[in-house]
Amino acid sequence: MVDAVVYYRIFNPTVSITKVENANHATQMLAQTTLRNMLGTKSLADILKDREEMSEQMEAVLYTASKNWGIKVERVELKDVKLPTTLQRAMAAEAEATRDARAKVIAAEGEMKASRALKEAANVMSESPSALQLRYMQTLTEIASERNSTIVFPLPLDLISNFMKSCVMSFNIINHHVVFGRLSKDSDCDNFTDLDFHESFMGTYLYVRLLLYTRANLDCGQELPHHNFTQEPLFDVTRPTTFVIHGYRPTGAPPIWINHIVHFLAAQKDMNILVVDWNRGAANLNYFTAVANTRGTAVNITGFIESMEKEGASLDSIHLIGVSLGAHVAGFIGTMLGGRVGRITGLDPAGPMFASAPPEERLDPTDAQFVDVLHTDMNSFGLRGTHGHIDFYANGGLDQPGCPKTIFSGKSYFVCDHQRSVFLYLCALNHTCKLTGYPCSSYSDFLSGQCLQCETFKPASCPVLGYDMSQWRDTLLRLGQTRAYFSTTAELPYSKTSYRVDLVTWNQFLRWGVVILRLYNGKNVIESRIDNKLLRFEQYTSTRLLAQFDEDLYPIQKISLRFVTGNIIGPRYKMRLLRIRISPLENLNRPLMCRYDIMLEENAEVSFKPLPCD
C-alpha cells in the first residue's frame, strides 16, 4: 500500500469547469492511475530507495495532463509505504538469516585460528618424540577420569621405530627395481594432480609442482624441478614466461580449462608456459586452509623466479595469470619481488577472506608493472572494487547471463558466475570474441550511453580484454586506475554488437518511457530493449542511448522504433524526433545511419529506411 499526497491549485476556474466535469475528482483519479502505472515498473527496493525520483516523475506526468484542465500541480510527495504482514515477516527472516550467516563466518574464522595453533603445536611435538609420548599419557589420564571407560594401551612408538625403518628400506629397494624395470620418466608426460573427493574431505598438505609447456610439447607437460631447471632442454629462461595459477579446488579435480589456456597462450608468442599445480593445498573442503596455503605457494614460486633471474631471465617478461585465489597468489609473488614483475592478470580474484584486507594482503596495482583484472562475480565469490591499473567488469561484474538464478540448478548455481571470467578470457585469447571495455564510473552510466567516448586512448580504441594490452598500457599507467564495462551474451562467442543512438526531440511536453529498436535485413531481425531505466525526453533536447544486440546483422535495410510508456488508459501521446542517428561502436568502417523528422506515437512501432547522415 502506497500513500501519495498531491498539492495542486486551480489557476483557471473557467477552464476547470468547462473542460472537465469535476476537476478535483479527475485530478485525484489521474493521480491514482499514474501511481499505479509507475509502481508497476518498480521493484520494492526501488520504491523504498527512489521516492524522490518517483515523486518528480509523477509531478511531471500530472502537470502535463492537468494543465489542460486549468489545474497546476505544485508538488507530489510519496507519504508512506505500508508492507503486508507476510512481507514484514519475510524481511525479518532475511535479516535474521544474514546475522546467522555472519555468526557462522566469525565461528569459521575462530576455527581457522585454532587450526593454526594446533598446527604449530603439532610441529613442536613432531620435533620431540618424548613430548608426543607425554601428550599421549596426558590424554590417557583425562580419559581414565571417567570410571566407565576401558583403555587399550598400545605399544610405544619407539619400540617399533626400528621395525618401521626396516620396512621403509625394503620398500625403497623394491621401488628401485621397479623404476629400472620400466621406461624412463623422460619419455612420459606429467599431468596435473588429480585428487578424489576423499582426499579433499580428509584434507591435503601443500605441495607445489611446476608443469612446463612450450610449442614443442603443447600436449605433454614436463614437471620442472625447482632447483636444477637448467637441465631441462625445453626450458629457455631467455624466452617470455607465463605462470598460470589456479584457485580453490574443493573437489580435488583438475581445472577443465588448463589445456585450453595452454594452447591459446602458445598461439600468442613463443614462450614458456608454467602451470602452477598446487592442488595439494587448494583441494580441501575447508576453504580457510586453502587461503592459508596461498602464502606458502607464493613463497615457493617467488624462490623459483629469483633462481630464474640469476640464470639470466628478465622480470619484465614474466606474466602471472591467477584465477580466484590464484590471483592473490600472483599478488603475493609480485609483492615479494618488489613489484618488478612485468604483468599480473587476475581473473575474478577471490572475495571471501579478502574483501576487507589491506592492499598488501591481496592483489593490488603495486604488485606488478601492469595489473589487469576481470570481475564476473563480485556479489558472491569474487572481490569487489578496483584492484588493477584497469578493471574490466563483465555485465557490471555481477550476475552473468545464462547462469542459474536458483539453487535447484546444483553446482552450477555456485560456480557459473565465478568461472565465467576464465571462459571470457579464453574467448578473448582465442580471438573468438572481441570484448571492448568502456571506461565509466558505473555500469548504470555505461548502459545509459554516458561513457561511449574513447578519445583518451586515440589513436587506439577503447581497451579490449585479452593478452596484448600494449596499445593501451602507457595511457592506463598514466591514468592510475580505470574501470571499464562491457556486456555479454549468455553463450559463445559472448560478444554483443553495440550502437550509439542519438535522438533529438521536438515534443512540447516532457515524456517518460523506454525504447525498443529493431534492425532488419530481409527476414532477419535483431532487437534491443533500452530499458535499463525510465528514459526522460525533453523539448529541444539531445538524448544519447546505448543499443546492444545479441547478434550482428549487416547490411541494415530497415529500422523500426517503438516508444513504450506503459500507459494503458487515456489518450496516446506523441513524440516528435527531429533526428535519429545510429553509429556502430565496434565496426567503425560501417556507415552511420540517420533519419529525420519522425513522429512517434506511444506504444506504436514506426518503421523507416536508414539514410546516409549529413
Side-chain angles (χ1 to χ4, degrees), residues 272-558:
N272 305 308
I273 303 169
L274 291 178
V275 174
V276 179
D277 175 6
W278 64 291
N279 206 21
R280 293 191 179 276
N284 201 307
L285 288 185
N286 189 345
Y287 172 75
F288 304 103
T289 300
V291 171
N293 286 334
T294 56
R295 286 286 186 179
T297 305
V299 170
N300 186 293
I301 303 303
T302 300
F304 180 82
I305 294 177
E306 289 174 340
S307 300
M308 286 179 57
E309 190 177 18
K310 292 177 182 178
E311 295 296 331
S314 171
L315 293 184
D316 295 343
S317 63
I318 290 181
H319 183 188
L320 307 174
I321 301 177
V323 179
S324 189
L325 278 183
H328 296 299
V329 173
F332 296 152
I333 296 171
T335 299
M336 295 176 190
L337 293 172
R340 296 180 296 132
V341 171
R343 180 180 175 187
I344 293 178
T345 297
L347 302 181
D348 207 34
M353 299 296 293
F354 295 94
S356 58
E360 61 272 12
E361 298 292 332
R362 54 166 172 78
L363 177 65
D364 79 282
T366 64
D367 293 333
Q369 297 177 36
F370 182 74
V371 178
D372 56 309
V373 182
L374 172 61
H375 299 272
T376 58
D377 192 25
M378 293 192 303
N379 57 346
S380 185
F381 294 120
L383 185 63
R384 290 183 177 273
T386 54
H387 306 283
H389 294 99
I390 181 169
D391 286 69
F392 291 95
Y393 300 87
N395 305 292
L398 301 173
D399 299 327
Q400 301 302 308
C403 286
K405 303 302 180 184
T406 66
I407 198 172
F408 300 106
S409 302
K411 175 185 174 183
S412 181
Y413 171 75
F414 297 97
V415 302
C416 180
D417 294 328
H418 197 42
Q419 285 185 342
R420 183 63 59 86
S421 62
V422 178
F423 298 132
L424 291 178
Y425 193 70
L426 291 176
C427 182
L429 286 179
N430 197 31
H431 305 291
T432 306
C433 56
K434 183 179 180 181
L435 302 172
T436 302
Y438 293 88
C440 203
S441 58
S442 69
Y443 188 52
S444 176
D445 288 347
F446 164 69
L447 293 178
S448 298
Q450 301 179 26
C451 311
L452 306 181
Q453 303 297 328
C454 299
E455 282 78 5
T456 306
F457 300 96
K458 283 186 175 181
S461 65
C462 278
V464 177
L465 178 72
Y467 181 81
D468 185 9
M469 297 289 294
S470 57
Q471 54 184 318
W472 305 285
R473 176 169 173 156
D474 292 341
T475 303
L476 290 170
L477 290 175
R478 186 177 70 252
L479 294 175
Q481 289 183 279
T482 300
R483 293 170 173 259
Y485 294 87
F486 61 86
S487 301
T488 71
T489 61
E491 299 175 347
L492 282 168
Y494 295 119
S495 303
K496 284 197 171 189
T497 302
S498 301
Y499 289 87
R500 188 181 71 202
V501 181
D502 294 290
L503 305 173
V504 179
T505 54
W506 184 260
N507 51 291
Q508 182 179 359
F509 301 107
L510 179 65
R511 294 286 182 263
W512 295 86
V514 299
V515 171
I516 300 176
L517 181 67
R518 290 178 178 173
L519 306 180
Y520 295 83
N521 182 318
K523 295 183 179 180
N524 299 318
V525 58
I526 55 178
E527 178 182 288
S528 174
R529 297 181 63 90
I530 310 174
D531 58 356
N532 56 295
K533 70 174 185 179
L534 203 59
L535 303 174
R536 177 188 178 104
F537 296 96
E538 299 182 69
Q539 186 178 19
Y540 316 134
T541 303
S542 177
T543 303
R544 175 164 295 174
L545 307 175
L546 172 64
Q548 299 186 96
F549 300 88
D550 288 350
E551 300 177 29
D552 189 16
L553 194 64
Y554 189 78
I556 307 302
Q557 299 174 343
K558 186 177 72 172

